[in-house]
Amino acid sequence: MATFPALNPSVRTYVPGVQPSTSINTLNGTEISVRNGNSSNAFRLRMSFVLLSRDSHFELLSHYVMHGRFEPFDLSATTLTASGLTFPSTYLWVYAASPETEESCGQISATVELELIPSYTV
């Protein structure tokens, strides 16, 4: 199994998953919710990296090209250092969007957004 590059993000934004459910309006006007499964989904993790070296930037982009949304991967311990975040153990990450890169005066910054999904076998 592949692992995300061992980069320490400057900023992490985490959106916890939600239980899949459907709202149903009844004839008397009340609304009920029906749970559609026992596992959460839509976990999101957005990470920003500033002052990346060219090698680290290349490593990040190469990882995206090799995995994208098609091959799930795990996060490295370095990426989660001091975050206090925990995730379901049977879930893996995919890219929710392509990395956003900005270079100004030779300083490279990048942002990636990941989505946590249940693991599957290809």
Side-chain angles (χ1 to χ4, degrees):
M1 173 178 46
T3 303
F4 189 78
L7 302 171
N8 192 5
S10 303
V11 177
R12 290 182 200 93
T13 304
Y14 173 64
V15 178
V18 295
Q19 291 286 336
S21 64
T22 304
S23 295
I24 302 171
N25 292 320
T26 62
L27 292 175
N28 66 0
T30 60
E31 183 178 331
I32 60 172
S33 289
V34 177
R35 199 162 152 182
N36 298 332
N38 62 351
S39 60
S40 297
N41 59 17
F43 293 88
R44 294 282 177 141
L45 181 61
R46 186 174 176 90
M47 298 182 291
S48 297
F49 305 90
V50 295
L51 299 175
L52 285 173
S53 67
R54 293 230 179 260
D55 291 340
S56 295
H57 183 243
F58 180 76
E59 185 179 7
L60 184 66
L61 293 180
S62 296
H63 188 266
Y64 170 72
V65 168
M66 294 299 293
H67 296 83
R69 286 202 59 87
F70 303 107
E71 186 179 342
F73 53 89
D74 205 2
L75 294 179
S76 65
T78 305
T79 306
L80 294 175
T81 300
S83 68
L85 297 174
T86 57
F87 311 105
S89 61
T90 59
Y91 283 44
L92 294 171
W93 295 95
V94 293
Y95 285 90
S98 59
E100 299 170 14
T101 301
E102 183 179 318
E103 183 173 356
S104 176
C105 300
Q107 296 179 349
I108 303 171
S109 300
T111 301
V112 296
E113 186 170 355
L114 306 177
E115 180 180 355
L116 192 63
I117 61 171
S119 62
Y120 58 87
T121 305
V122 178

PDB file of all heavy atoms in Angstrom, residues 2-3 10 24 38 47 61 65 71 78 93 115:
ATOM      1  N   ALA A   2       0.469   2.210  -0.731  1.00  0.00           N
ATOM      2  CA  ALA A   2       1.225   3.454  -0.853  1.00  0.00           C
ATOM      3  C   ALA A   2       0.968   4.363   0.347  1.00  0.00           C
ATOM      4  O   ALA A   2      -0.049   4.266   1.023  1.00  0.00           O
ATOM      5  CB  ALA A   2       0.821   4.166  -2.133  1.00  0.00           C
ATOM      6  N   THR A   3       1.910   5.248   0.577  1.00  0.00           N
ATOM      7  CA  THR A   3       1.802   6.207   1.669  1.00  0.00           C
ATOM      8  C   THR A   3       2.050   7.603   1.132  1.00  0.00           C
ATOM      9  O   THR A   3       2.902   7.807   0.267  1.00  0.00           O
ATOM     10  CB  THR A   3       2.833   5.881   2.776  1.00  0.00           C
ATOM     11  OG1 THR A   3       2.617   4.538   3.210  1.00  0.00           O
ATOM     12  CG2 THR A   3       2.673   6.805   3.969  1.00  0.00           C
ATOM     13  N   SER A  10       1.812  22.942   7.071  1.00  0.00           N
ATOM     14  CA  SER A  10       1.775  24.154   7.888  1.00  0.00           C
ATOM     15  C   SER A  10       0.382  24.369   8.451  1.00  0.00           C
ATOM     16  O   SER A  10       0.216  24.887   9.551  1.00  0.00           O
ATOM     17  CB  SER A  10       2.170  25.369   7.053  1.00  0.00           C
ATOM     18  OG  SER A  10       3.435  25.171   6.504  1.00  0.00           O
ATOM     19  N   ILE A  24     -37.193  12.367   5.286  1.00  0.00           N
ATOM     20  CA  ILE A  24     -38.487  12.037   4.687  1.00  0.00           C
ATOM     21  C   ILE A  24     -39.561  12.889   5.348  1.00  0.00           C
ATOM     22  O   ILE A  24     -39.650  12.935   6.582  1.00  0.00           O
ATOM     23  CB  ILE A  24     -38.819  10.537   4.877  1.00  0.00           C
ATOM     24  CG1 ILE A  24     -37.724   9.668   4.251  1.00  0.00           C
ATOM     25  CG2 ILE A  24     -40.190  10.207   4.311  1.00  0.00           C
ATOM     26  CD1 ILE A  24     -37.858   8.193   4.584  1.00  0.00           C
ATOM     27  N   ASN A  38     -24.041   2.095   8.275  1.00  0.00           N
ATOM     28  CA  ASN A  38     -23.427   2.145   9.596  1.00  0.00           C
ATOM     29  C   ASN A  38     -22.030   2.746   9.577  1.00  0.00           C
ATOM     30  O   ASN A  38     -21.333   2.743  10.572  1.00  0.00           O
ATOM     31  CB  ASN A  38     -23.382   0.749  10.223  1.00  0.00           C
ATOM     32  CG  ASN A  38     -22.539  -0.201   9.414  1.00  0.00           C
ATOM     33  OD1 ASN A  38     -22.119   0.115   8.311  1.00  0.00           O
ATOM     34  ND2 ASN A  38     -22.309  -1.381   9.955  1.00  0.00           N
ATOM     35  N   MET A  47      -4.716  20.203   3.469  1.00  0.00           N
ATOM     36  CA  MET A  47      -3.415  20.516   4.048  1.00  0.00           C
ATOM     37  C   MET A  47      -2.678  21.501   3.158  1.00  0.00           C
ATOM     38  O   MET A  47      -2.685  21.366   1.935  1.00  0.00           O
ATOM     39  CB  MET A  47      -2.581  19.243   4.207  1.00  0.00           C
ATOM     40  CG  MET A  47      -3.190  18.232   5.134  1.00  0.00           C
ATOM     41  SD  MET A  47      -2.163  16.760   5.337  1.00  0.00           S
ATOM     42  CE  MET A  47      -2.285  16.013   3.724  1.00  0.00           C
ATOM     43  N   LEU A  61       3.673  16.280  -6.188  1.00  0.00           N
ATOM     44  CA  LEU A  61       3.000  16.201  -7.486  1.00  0.00           C
ATOM     45  C   LEU A  61       3.091  14.802  -8.087  1.00  0.00           C
ATOM     46  O   LEU A  61       2.131  14.320  -8.692  1.00  0.00           O
ATOM     47  CB  LEU A  61       3.576  17.235  -8.444  1.00  0.00           C
ATOM     48  CG  LEU A  61       3.300  18.699  -8.080  1.00  0.00           C
ATOM     49  CD1 LEU A  61       3.923  19.633  -9.115  1.00  0.00           C
ATOM     50  CD2 LEU A  61       1.820  18.970  -7.931  1.00  0.00           C
ATOM     51  N   VAL A  65       0.015  12.331  -9.278  1.00  0.00           N
ATOM     52  CA  VAL A  65      -0.071  11.753 -10.619  1.00  0.00           C
ATOM     53  C   VAL A  65      -0.217  10.234 -10.543  1.00  0.00           C
ATOM     54  O   VAL A  65      -0.981   9.632 -11.298  1.00  0.00           O
ATOM     55  CB  VAL A  65       1.168  12.146 -11.457  1.00  0.00           C
ATOM     56  CG1 VAL A  65       1.250  11.343 -12.737  1.00  0.00           C
ATOM     57  CG2 VAL A  65       1.141  13.631 -11.755  1.00  0.00           C
ATOM     58  N   GLU A  71      -6.139   5.190  -6.779  1.00  0.00           N
ATOM     59  CA  GLU A  71      -5.424   4.265  -5.899  1.00  0.00           C
ATOM     60  C   GLU A  71      -5.362   4.868  -4.499  1.00  0.00           C
ATOM     61  O   GLU A  71      -4.648   5.846  -4.262  1.00  0.00           O
ATOM     62  CB  GLU A  71      -4.008   3.999  -6.404  1.00  0.00           C
ATOM     63  CG  GLU A  71      -3.310   2.950  -5.585  1.00  0.00           C
ATOM     64  CD  GLU A  71      -1.909   2.653  -6.080  1.00  0.00           C
ATOM     65  OE1 GLU A  71      -1.578   2.994  -7.221  1.00  0.00           O
ATOM     66  OE2 GLU A  71      -1.145   2.088  -5.285  1.00  0.00           O
ATOM     67  N   THR A  78       4.525  11.418   9.770  1.00  0.00           N
ATOM     68  CA  THR A  78       5.014  12.794   9.733  1.00  0.00           C
ATOM     69  C   THR A  78       3.891  13.772   9.413  1.00  0.00           C
ATOM     70  O   THR A  78       3.803  14.853   9.986  1.00  0.00           O
ATOM     71  CB  THR A  78       6.132  12.942   8.679  1.00  0.00           C
ATOM     72  OG1 THR A  78       7.148  11.993   8.964  1.00  0.00           O
ATOM     73  CG2 THR A  78       6.710  14.335   8.666  1.00  0.00           C
ATOM     74  N   TRP A  93      -7.154   7.108   2.021  1.00  0.00           N
ATOM     75  CA  TRP A  93      -7.332   8.435   1.431  1.00  0.00           C
ATOM     76  C   TRP A  93      -7.218   8.404  -0.081  1.00  0.00           C
ATOM     77  O   TRP A  93      -6.482   7.602  -0.642  1.00  0.00           O
ATOM     78  CB  TRP A  93      -6.267   9.383   1.985  1.00  0.00           C
ATOM     79  CG  TRP A  93      -6.400   9.621   3.449  1.00  0.00           C
ATOM     80  CD1 TRP A  93      -5.749   8.954   4.451  1.00  0.00           C
ATOM     81  CD2 TRP A  93      -7.237  10.573   4.091  1.00  0.00           C
ATOM     82  NE1 TRP A  93      -6.138   9.438   5.673  1.00  0.00           N
ATOM     83  CE2 TRP A  93      -7.055  10.440   5.484  1.00  0.00           C
ATOM     84  CE3 TRP A  93      -8.128  11.540   3.626  1.00  0.00           C
ATOM     85  CZ2 TRP A  93      -7.719  11.226   6.406  1.00  0.00           C
ATOM     86  CZ3 TRP A  93      -8.797  12.327   4.557  1.00  0.00           C
ATOM     87  CH2 TRP A  93      -8.589  12.168   5.919  1.00  0.00           C
ATOM     88  N   GLU A 115      -9.834  13.001   0.594  1.00  0.00           N
ATOM     89  CA  GLU A 115     -11.106  12.459   1.056  1.00  0.00           C
ATOM     90  C   GLU A 115     -10.863  11.045   1.579  1.00  0.00           C
ATOM     91  O   GLU A 115     -10.157  10.258   0.954  1.00  0.00           O
ATOM     92  CB  GLU A 115     -12.110  12.419  -0.098  1.00  0.00           C
ATOM     93  CG  GLU A 115     -13.444  11.867   0.292  1.00  0.00           C
ATOM     94  CD  GLU A 115     -14.426  11.842  -0.882  1.00  0.00           C
ATOM     95  OE1 GLU A 115     -14.091  12.348  -1.973  1.00  0.00           O
ATOM     96  OE2 GLU A 115     -15.516  11.306  -0.692  1.00  0.00           O
TER      97      GLU A 115
END
